[in-house]
């Protein structure tokens, strides 16, 4: 089957959301359709999907803040894992980061996600132990009931 990469479009949202859930991603409020529409207004060229025929089988969402590149989500349909889809998505995303002038890409891997840790380690990503990730929710009322708090 021919694998084709293209940019994410809002019409892909339902398929991407389903793929993320099938792949076991930790879904957050920022993964809602309205938030992804905002993402597309910033750097749509860094939000990629992989398609095999008409089926969406992978997705990579990156970001660029003018200083650092970020990988927010990389997911491959479980039926398509270990077929090179993730590498194809990451090769393209990293090339787009370089074209923007990025010197470094960063990401976060949830504790216990050994498969992702091994994948990114094989690509040259290294654990950074000189910093601690911190975050603050900027929405009032705290976490929605369907969202796991961290």
């Amino acid at each position: 089957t021919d694998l084709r990469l293209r940019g994410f479009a809002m019409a892909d949202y339902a398929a991407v959301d389903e793929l993320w859930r099938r792949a076991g991603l930790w879904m957050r409020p920022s993964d809602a359709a309205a938030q992804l529409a905002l993402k597309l207004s910033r750097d749509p060229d860094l939000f990629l999907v992989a398609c095999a025929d008409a089926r969406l089988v992978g997705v990579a969402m990156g970001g660029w803040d003018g200083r650092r590149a970020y990988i927010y989500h990389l997911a491959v349909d479980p039926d398509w894992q270990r077929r090179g889809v993730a590498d194809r998505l990451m090769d393209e995303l990293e090339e787009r980061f370089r074209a923007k002038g990025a010197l470094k890409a960063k990401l976060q891997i949830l504790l216990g996600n050994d498969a992702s840790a091994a994948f990114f380690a094989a690509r040259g990503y290294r654990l950074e132990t000189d910093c601690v990730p911190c975050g603050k929710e900027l929405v009032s009322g705290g976490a929605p009931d369907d969202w796991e708090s961290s």
Side-chain angles (χ1 to χ4, degrees):
T1 304
D2 188 34
L3 187 68
R4 183 175 58 92
L5 302 185
R6 64 171 175 77
F8 169 87
M10 285 308 297
D12 297 319
Y13 179 75
V16 166
D17 183 65
E18 179 184 338
L19 186 148
W20 281 341
R21 292 175 192 281
R22 281 180 34 86
L25 265 69
W26 188 29
M27 305 306 292
R28 305 292 297 248
S30 58
D31 298 318
Q35 294 299 308
L36 294 187
L38 287 174
K39 162 74 178 112
L40 284 180
S41 70
R42 169 113 178 142
D43 42 24
D45 57 320
L46 299 178
F47 199 164
L48 306 172
V49 296
C51 299
D53 299 321
R55 183 176 175 194
L56 195 142
V57 298
V59 59
M61 181 171 48
W64 165 248
D65 67 7
R67 184 164 183 264
R68 294 268 194 268
Y70 293 90
I71 298 123
Y72 295 110
H73 286 324
L74 172 65
V76 175
D77 185 297
D79 295 337
W80 281 81
Q81 291 176 2
R82 303 207 187 290
R83 293 178 163 185
V85 176
D87 277 318
R88 285 271 312 273
L89 284 162
M90 286 304 302
D91 288 347
E92 181 64 24
L93 191 58
E94 288 173 355
E95 186 56 37
R96 292 179 183 207
F97 288 155
R98 284 185 202 93
K100 290 182 176 294
L103 302 177
K104 183 175 187 175
K106 297 180 69 84
L107 58 94
Q108 294 181 358
I109 300 171
L110 290 176
L111 293 175
N113 189 340
D114 297 336
S116 287
F119 172 80
F120 283 107
R123 291 190 63 87
Y125 288 78
R126 299 291 172 245
L127 178 65
E128 295 179 337
T129 58
D130 59 345
C131 59
V132 175
C134 298
K136 177 183 177 181
E137 298 304 324
L138 299 176
V139 294
S140 62
D145 291 338
D146 63 344
W147 167 56
E148 295 180 39
S149 297
S150 56

